[in-house]
């Protein structure tokens, strides 16, 4: 796995399409506005089209060269606005790559690899504000907003056949819990949501490669995956492969939490090759620059780091400006104190200097930087609870109130803002947390880590937290930060990342269905219909992980013929449902039973076989009968 | 895995205690009333005691011989009541083991193995009613009820230290959603709950080996695991090992859903070796007896099968008596029709004969059998939804209403009763389903399968359903039937069973914490405290799966010394939190900073390291720094 060519191979493999899937594009009002979707061809001729986060990597027509970076999506849009300028940019210094950098020769080589990726940075012209929120407030619908609208809608035509029964639609009508999701998302709706701060479109002007997406409670619930570099960075392919792997499985956003060597160079690699927004926690890099000594941090070093990363194209910054000096003592009686790394760095700084946090005192200065590049705030919850018994406590809510105040300051500067949330919250306290956030932060998008509903599941915290994530997503959280099975224990490997993402795709989709998102449930309907019709291959392909579904099925019935067979490993071929259905109908006809009864009986028999072929409750553990 | 001796070895392995764990017993009002708990010894001298479903298998003092069966727990209690009699019992016939039995020589051998397990059956004396509900209504507190009370409480003394902060307890106070869980469960409380039908104690008089447990909304939420025999039954050890594996990981109940060969003999093996209640679906065996032809089922064959299984000691029967002729047409417009196997068998029978279900018409006859052995009803939901779009529909609720009527008939006979529930229900419809059940079925315990909240996660349905299970458990469901990752796809193997059980232990515990069960949250507190204190080994051992937690940790830090180290793989040994805490305190003292501030700073620094050592949000993917 560590040999560079292995990662090249892995990267090539993750360029393969999902089974029976084709990338297609919805074109907007201009020819360079092309929104990707994944069309899944079913064996019965239907095509189901789904949201696609995987970027150009799964487009066979795209030429990928990670050493050159992705093609630009937005460069023309940004240029056309005429409010930005290219400039020489901040001069890189050796310290940008940390104190523990490679030997000189190796570093020179790495930098040379990154050199081809360098682009001259762009910033707002003097006096200009280039945020999507600024345009939105001025009534301008940007191409980014139109892109988001088309993306949220996707292709809805195929859904109609699953939504024809008004009684069913009425019965299944979601409970939006205060969200107001229109049937069709218009570009104007996107603009309005961004203008009022209820949604953000993270899209740094220096990240023109990004495929715009929205985070907001009136849009599909999104998920974030965290990646980070290794101390031994073997190659650009390795770093990019982590990213590609995450977006392949459905990560809508990726945070680069690197703290190792070559931190600046790695970030160049990631941003230039990422079709999804990239978030960072700039204080991590700033801390590396001062040798890991929190007290030595200064506003100047931090500010320089913000500009460094903004120029590289980072789309949102986690900034723990709500960790105020006055709140730190509130954590003293906690069971697990402060568990946010950024939060504890700032707490340490505040205490060492006995001064208010420079993130708080310089918040408007930070806004000035953010609006020059359209970097969005992800206001960090440095005082979030680290265990169930610290949930919804005074420290957490004191900080949340401050984040609400800061949100209004950010909005004054038209800087897009979302709010980070916990962490560890038992089920019965999730609603209160969500309500507090909506109220305190004026509906700025909430972006939570889980929350974990219990503490006793190390090794399975992706599950313990998917429960909380689904619930809080339903209640109004806009983006869910994933948790992997390795949480609290060690470093997630490739499979852990996938497990975390799938668990969170489940949570996000469960939330969308519960909210009644008009484009959410049809995929479930299509899959369940395929299940009932014994279209096994369609059932796999409509799932979140076709490979694993097929693999599990094939453990007992590997032959291709079984994929179209009306039976499975549970009861074997004697119970072909079509045959039994036919028999029942003949029987009903012969006996002169009423048509309705015959239909009902046919359904029952078919259902019987359906159940035998993979029903829910009564799965007998035995192989196929002979 | 298929060689008999391999299963002997597996069985021996699952007899090992969990790490740092000792089985101990709480003795009740009589010396033969000994309730097992698992005491976990922590490295700081504390002992945490938890509910233990694993039976004598994890007691080193117990002699286990699967060919003789477990020692009896309840035989004396049953005998002392003086209301039962031993009798010759139903005469076994060859058909009991199904039509596809082994060759004669093999079958003779298998029966010989089972022979040592045979016990002469017991039944109620003429006119007697031997159900726990009958005793409860008469005001009698049985040893079973006292056992349940002691078991639900466990050892609570160790919890006190985690519950000393009144403000915290107030903040974390659960939301019982209508449950009324006393601080301490008394035997009288158990009696009252059983008398009013709000809880059941499944305990057939012919299953004296069972360690009594309760299923009811005012008790800990329980989980059920399904097992079943293979077509090729290699040995008694293999069958028993499946059972032991399931209870080792926490299954409170096990359903034997065998439909293969030697179905009767296998059941003897399982019941005689099971310390947990065993449930079955008798219609499965009855169907085997008529060669799989649903129309050929008769009341007489079914009745005979009930007596056969009641004599063997099955503790509860799933009976789909709510699938009435009049409801079948309600499934005709469903997306996935009838997905319960038992439901579809009965639907087919009703339609073929165009008659009301014999389960419904003979329901009082069935009650007569149930009360002679104290077999509990698990009234099956044969019309449960098989996909999200069929959730909470007319067919489902029509059947539920009938189950409510049948509950009252069962209660008239003092037969213990629980109600089975779905299945597939989106999050926003779970509350309505639970409310309908509580209202319609008069608070008889609800026993649901999941529910799955979405349909698009084949391969991960244990997660998609754990979300629904946690929520419905919080809202009032008493027992959760597990779903494994192989759901809808194939036969769960050993690891799938474990994955399903762990996901459901998470759901059940999340529900207990949310309800505010007074004995639930302390284990989370103990684990989180261990986490904060860097007691790694304690953190593993307090979790639901110590082996996996340790294994994940050891992937990067395998040495024993790392188990007590104040660092982990995330940031390495440079950041010893104790050292930093000490430094911060010295610094604070030197600067004359106020004590509170120093404390706060110490907490912050320690928390910083805590986070570095496995914090929640910002897990950088990099190995230990050098």
């Amino acid at each position: 796995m560590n040999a560079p060519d292995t990662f090249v191979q892995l990267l090539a493999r993750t360029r393969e399409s999902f089974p029976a899937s084709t990338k297609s594009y919805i074109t907007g009002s201009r020819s360079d506005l092309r929104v990707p979707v994944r069309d899944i061809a079913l064996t019965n001729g239907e095509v189901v089209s789904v949201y696609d986060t995987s970027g150009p990597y799964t487009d066979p027509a795209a030429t990928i060269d990670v050493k050159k970076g992705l093609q630009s999506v937005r460069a023309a849009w940004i240029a056309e606005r005429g409010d930005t300028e290219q400039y020489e940019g901040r001069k890189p210094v050796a310290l940008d790559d940390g104190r523990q950098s490679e030997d000189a020769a190796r570093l020179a080589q790495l930098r040379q690899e990154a050199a081809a990726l360098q682009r001259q940075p762009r910033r707002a012209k003097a006096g200009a504000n280039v945020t999507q929120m600024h345009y939105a407030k001025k009534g301008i619908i940007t191409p980014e907003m139109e892109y988001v609208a088309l993306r949220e809608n996707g292709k809805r035509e195929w859904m109609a056949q699953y939504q024809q029964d008004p009684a069913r639609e009425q019965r299944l009508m979601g409970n939006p819990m205060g969200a107001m999701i229109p049937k069709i998302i218009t570009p104007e709706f996107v603009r309005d949501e961004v203008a009022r701060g209820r949604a953000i479109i993270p899209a740094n002007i220096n990240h023109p490669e990004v495929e715009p997406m929205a985070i907001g409670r009136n849009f599909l619930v999104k998920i974030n995956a965290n990646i980070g570099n290794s101390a031994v960075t073997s190659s650009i392919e390795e770093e990019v492969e982590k990213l590609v792997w995450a977006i392949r499985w459905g990560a809508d956003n990726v945070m680069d939490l690197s703290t190792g060597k070559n931190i600046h160079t790695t970030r160049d690699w990631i941003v230039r090759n990422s079709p999804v927004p990239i978030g960072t926690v700039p204080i991590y890099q700033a801390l590396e620059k001062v040798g890991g000594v929190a007290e030595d941090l200064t506003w100047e070093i931090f500010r320089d780091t913000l500009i460094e990363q903004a120029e590289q194209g980072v789309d949102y910054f986690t900034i723990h400006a709500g960790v105020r000096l006055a709140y730190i003592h509130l954590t003293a009686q906690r069971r697990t104190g402060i568990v946010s790394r950024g939060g504890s760095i700032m707490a340490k700084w505040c205490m060492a200097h006995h001064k208010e946090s420079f993130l708080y005192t310089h918040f408007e200065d930070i806004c000035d930087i953010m609006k020059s590049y359209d970097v969005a705030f992800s206001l960090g919850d440095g005082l979030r609870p680290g265990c169930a018994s610290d949930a919804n406590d005074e420290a957490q809510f004191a900080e949340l109130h401050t984040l609400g105040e800061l949100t209004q300051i950010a909005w004054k500067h038209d800087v897009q803002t979302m709010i980070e949330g916990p962490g560890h919250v038992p089920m019965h306290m999730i609603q209160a947390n969500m309500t507090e956030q909506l109220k305190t932060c004026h509906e700025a998008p909430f972006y939570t880590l889980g929350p974990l509903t219990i503490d006793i599941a190390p090794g399975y915290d992706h599950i313990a937290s998917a429960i909380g994530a689904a619930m809080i997503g339903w209640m109004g959280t806009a983006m869910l930060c994933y948790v992997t099975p390795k949480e609290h224990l060690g470093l997630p490997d490739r499979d852990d990342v996938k497990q975390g993402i799938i668990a969170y795709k489940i949570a996000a989709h469960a939330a969308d269905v519960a909210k009644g998102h008009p484009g959410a449930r049809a995929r479930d309907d299509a899959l369940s219909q395929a299940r009932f019709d014994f279209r096994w291959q369609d059932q796999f392909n409509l799932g979140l992980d076709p490979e694993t579904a097929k693999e599990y099925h094939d453990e007992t019935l590997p032959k291709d013929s079984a994929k179209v067979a009306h039976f499975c490993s549970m009861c074997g071929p004697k119970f072909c449902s079509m045959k039994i259905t036919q028999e029942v109908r003949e029987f009903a006809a012969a006996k002169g039973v009423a048509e309705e009864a015959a239909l009902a009986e046919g359904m029952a028999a078919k259902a019987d076989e359906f159940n035998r072929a993979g029903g829910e409750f009564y799965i007998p553990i035995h192989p196929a009968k002979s």
Side-chain angles (χ1 to χ4, degrees), chain A residues 211-464:
Chain A
E211 296 177 348
M213 54 78 70
I215 302 167
R217 68 187 295 212
N218 292 324
F219 298 101
L220 289 160
V221 174
K222 306 302 190 296
I223 72 164
N224 173 75
N226 296 332
I227 63 172
N229 73 341
S230 311
V232 183
T233 301
S234 53
S235 71
I236 185 169
E237 284 84 0
E238 178 178 355
E239 295 305 320
V240 175
E241 203 281 328
K242 287 180 195 168
L243 166 80
V244 175
W245 181 246
I247 62 177
R248 176 178 182 80
W249 293 109
D252 295 286
N253 272 210
V254 166
M255 288 194 78
D256 171 17
L257 303 180
S258 299
T259 58
K261 298 179 183 177
N262 312 313
I263 191 167
H264 177 100
T265 302
T266 301
R267 196 180 309 116
D268 267 337
W269 292 350
I270 290 175
V271 176
R272 293 284 76 76
N273 286 287
S274 176
V276 302
I278 298 294
T280 61
V281 189
I283 202 86
Y284 289 3
Q285 187 182 9
L287 188 70
E288 295 298 318
K289 290 180 180 177
V290 294
V293 182
E295 307 88 282
D296 292 353
L297 282 165
T298 64
W299 160 243
E300 289 69 27
I301 288 169
F302 185 74
R303 180 182 180 281
D304 182 59
T305 305
L306 291 184
I307 292 169
E308 172 187 350
Q309 296 197 12
E311 289 180 350
Q312 287 184 296
V314 173
D315 300 286
Y316 58 94
F317 290 153
T318 292
I319 294 189
H320 299 88
V323 181
R324 297 191 61 182
L325 179 64
Y327 302 155
I328 296 167
H329 78 278
L330 298 175
T331 65
Q333 297 308 314
R334 279 183 159 183
R335 187 166 308 288
T336 55
I338 299 175
V339 297
S340 149
R341 189 173 183 220
S344 57
I345 291 167
M346 289 316 300
K348 198 165 172 182
W349 187 93
C350 290
M351 294 308 304
H353 299 281
H354 218 267
K355 275 165 62 176
E356 187 58 271
S357 156
F358 61 80
L359 300 178
Y360 184 81
T361 57
H362 284 278
F363 193 73
E364 299 215 46
D365 297 323
I366 299 173
C367 290
D368 286 336
I369 297 168
M370 306 299 259
K371 68 189 179 194
S372 295
Y373 302 92
D374 198 8
V375 182
F377 275 116
S378 185
L379 292 176
D381 56 335
L383 303 183
R384 69 168 172 275
C387 62
S389 86
D390 292 342
N392 289 10
D393 73 351
E394 203 182 346
Q396 181 189 338
F397 282 171
E399 181 187 37
L400 187 60
H401 281 247
T402 296
L403 299 184
E405 291 163 25
L406 296 174
T407 297
Q408 290 189 302
I409 296 171
W411 286 353
K412 193 182 73 184
H413 290 268
D414 298 347
V415 176
Q416 303 191 92
T417 302
M418 62 180 168
I419 311 292
E420 294 183 7
H424 289 253
V425 186
M427 278 196 288
H428 67 295
M429 300 169 78
I430 289 174
Q431 174 82 74
N433 194 164
M434 187 71 237
T435 302
E436 192 74 11
Q437 192 274 341
L438 287 170
K439 190 182 68 182
T440 308
C441 298
H442 321 287
E443 293 192 275
F446 205 25
Y447 164 33
T448 61
L449 173 68
L452 282 79
T453 52
I454 59 171
D455 301 349
I456 65 167
Y460 301 84
D461 278 336
H462 60 312
I463 299 177

